[in-house]
Amino acid sequence: MTIPENSSAPTANRGAADNENLDGSSVPFGATEANADALYNRETRVLAACFKDPRRIAEVREVWPNGDYLSCTETECAWRVLRSLNDAGLEISEASLTAGTKDAATAADIANRAAGMKSTTAAQRWAIQLADDYRARQAANETADLPAEATPTPTPAKLPDVPLDALPAPLGDYGKAVSVNMEAPLPLVFAAMLATASTCVPTGARILGRPGHVEIGPLWLAPLAMPGSKKSPTISRVTSPLNDYDGGLQSAFAVAHESWRADCAALQAQSKRGAKPVLPPEPRRVQALADDATVESLADVLAANEPTDLGLLCAPDELAAFTGGMNQYKSGKGSDRAAYLKLWAGQPVRVNRRGRFVYVKRPRMALIAGIQPAVACKLQAFDESDGLLDRFHWIDCRDESAPRFDVPPVPPALEHAWNMALRALLPVVTPGDLRPKIDGDAPPADVDARLFVLAPDAVAVYGLFYESCDRRDLPPLLRGYGGKLAGQCLRVALTLHHLKHGADVFNRPQIDGETMRGAIAVTQWLAAHTYHVRTFMAGGVTAGNDARRVLAWIAEQGGYVTLRDLTRTGPPCARNAERAAETLAELARDGHGDFDESRTPAGRDRRGFRLTDRA
């Protein structure tokens, strides 16, 4: 395709409208930032505004390695990028482009420029979409609750269709039926099904992808949806078989506890007066589903579940409440985040709690929790760069349908199929199983021997996928997630293999090529959503991680702080006075605020930092 000459980047003297950046500022970047970090941040923002595919961004960096991102506005840079791809002979497909703007003048200018093109091209459609998206967002006011530094420049693009074919036939139909009945986005239902199914994989099950690479089953998913989009009711509907299963477990626990109390009473009656008999240990309370929970309580549940080969699904109402509750009883100085990283990896967890030592050899915890767009952007701003966010699959569920009153119910046959698919994998727990083993009891089965391997045809398919997962092609923001993608594919394959074979799964130790191809399709779908959402969460932010945390903290304080406030009560990254001053200076250079000179009531000079209206 060719881009007509009149669609080239405009000159720098066309007026204020052309100097408007995608972030809403009107100051040319070259006048305020001339270092390598500024160039990289600028380049990243321009490319993220143009392209939704991280691999296409790598192509741009190859054909325009010395691109001048600092001497022109972001809109001009975007057009120069398009022309560079065209000159290099690379096709610009409509599916690879996405863009957005917050400025009416810029939108009108691009619309006029597109109207002057001589032919209908992908670039023209992109330019027209740029203006249309601005008007649509203005009408819907979708980003009114987002802070300016977290407002994404790309608009939601069309993402891949949900790979329902990867599930056994009745389960895919169940997902569609629940989506229609609940009026919930299909990606949300599918994410809840994946998390629930991965919970039912026995704790001893593992999968060998290649020599030395062993993965477990649980998946962590974070659906991104607007307020009131029925995130919690939909997740509750899909996880209802686990809730019913927990009801049976509690009945078994009641019987076991009553038996234990009777045994204790008999021993006490038989003992001599004044002597304390040795009582049997109290029964364990096991469960498959948990809501809000601390690391200590989760460790107790996982330790109780482990002998029964039962995993755990943590499903809090909101992901922000889950992450915000970390270290809440430890003055912010605990190691909860590190413990959750171990839980995701299935590594042994040791917890000292109130004089008790809890050890879990094989923790298996899946997780699903919804989050709102504005809260997700704030979560990214406060990210501690420890890799916790990279463990999640982020699912964009903002595509809502119009409400309907006469929605059809979910057919009972499909409800039964989903229930039976999970029940076939869940262990049968009797009251006797809840009584801890004592000397003389038979040792537990060696569940560690349950290692699944790939069949030859699956090895060939997975090998190609593994080599395609090159994290070097991704922006720095996505490399942590991309580096785990091959392992995440194995986790999906293990889950699908169990859903496919049910109770007979341990008689089928090899995962076939069909299952692996389905797992790859699901993983690619998860990756597309995650790349899109993570770019959304970080969109428009030019400052580094420390500066973003400081920016969000200042906003929480009302928009004005002094250097002393920042060093005494601000984020840990700003406790050093010199480092805090440099961070404020960086925010001022980026246009997020200005230094403010004033006097205290006692007549002393005071220098503070005040956020601008844009920040």
Side-chain angles (χ1 to χ4, degrees), residues 29 68-69 203 269 276 284 325 331 356 387 410 479 531 611:
F29 246 72
D68 187 1
Y69 290 92
T203 60
K276 289 187 177 181
R284 296 180 296 261
S331 302
R356 289 192 303 115
V410 178
R479 287 177 186 168
Y531 293 163
L611 297 182

Side-chain angles (χ1 to χ4, degrees), residues 186-371:
L186 184 57
L188 174 61
V189 178
F190 188 67
M193 293 178 68
L194 287 177
T196 306
S198 71
T199 305
C200 300
V201 174
T203 60
R206 297 172 299 158
I207 179 172
L208 178 68
R210 65 190 184 104
H213 186 188
V214 177
E215 288 286 345
I216 56 176
L219 300 171
W220 289 17
L221 297 106
L224 179 82
M226 301 301 291
S229 56
K230 302 181 180 178
K231 297 186 296 294
S232 297
T234 302
I235 294 174
S236 297
R237 176 70 174 271
V238 175
T239 60
S240 59
L242 295 185
N243 199 39
D244 296 339
Y245 177 76
D246 273 356
L249 292 178
Q250 298 314 309
S251 298
F253 174 78
V255 174
H257 198 267
E258 186 63 30
S259 175
W260 170 77
R261 292 181 59 184
D263 292 344
C264 291
L267 289 174
Q268 290 173 340
Q270 294 173 4
S271 63
K272 297 181 180 180
R273 180 174 298 181
K276 289 187 177 181
V278 178
L279 301 179
E282 189 174 0
R284 296 180 296 261
R285 185 186 295 271
V286 301
Q287 60 191 82
L289 195 59
D291 300 324
D292 300 315
T294 63
V295 169
E296 291 82 3
S297 61
L298 283 176
D300 286 337
V301 175
L302 290 169
N305 285 5
E306 189 173 21
T308 64
D309 216 11
L310 176 63
L312 178 69
L313 176 60
C314 187
D317 285 339
E318 292 287 341
L319 183 63
F322 171 77
T323 56
M326 295 181 182
N327 303 323
Q328 61 178 325
Y329 302 117
K330 305 167 188 175
S331 302
K333 300 178 181 179
S335 56
D336 285 1
R337 292 178 72 95
Y340 280 110
L341 294 177
K342 282 190 172 185
L343 289 177
W344 180 86
Q347 297 175 352
V349 174
R350 300 166 179 84
V351 176
N352 289 297
R353 182 188 182 191
R354 299 176 185 174
R356 289 192 303 115
F357 177 70
V358 180
Y359 174 73
V360 189
K361 181 181 179 181
R362 298 184 310 273
R364 300 292 187 265
M365 187 187 80
L367 194 153
I368 184 168
I371 190 169

Side-chain angles (χ1 to χ4, degrees), residues 173-184 189 234 237-238 410:
D173 295 337
Y174 168 80
K176 292 179 182 178
V178 171
S179 175
V180 173
N181 178 258
M182 297 291 295
E183 296 183 294
V189 178
T234 302
R237 176 70 174 271
V238 175
V410 178

Side-chain angles (χ1 to χ4, degrees), residues 410-488:
V410 178
L414 296 181
E415 291 271 18
H416 180 75
W418 174 240
N419 205 336
M420 289 298 99
L422 301 182
R423 285 301 184 103
L425 301 175
L426 293 169
V428 177
V429 180
T430 65
D433 296 328
L434 303 180
R435 300 286 295 267
K437 303 302 180 183
I438 57 176
D439 293 341
D441 288 341
D446 184 12
V447 294
D448 283 335
R450 299 173 179 177
L451 180 65
F452 294 86
V453 297
L454 305 184
D457 57 340
V459 171
V461 174
Y462 178 69
L464 293 175
F465 176 76
Y466 182 90
E467 293 179 354
S468 71
C469 297
D470 191 347
R471 64 191 297 269
R472 297 174 299 176
D473 296 339
L474 299 174
L477 175 70
L478 302 174
R479 287 177 186 168
Y481 175 83
K484 300 172 180 60
L485 202 56
Q488 295 276 24

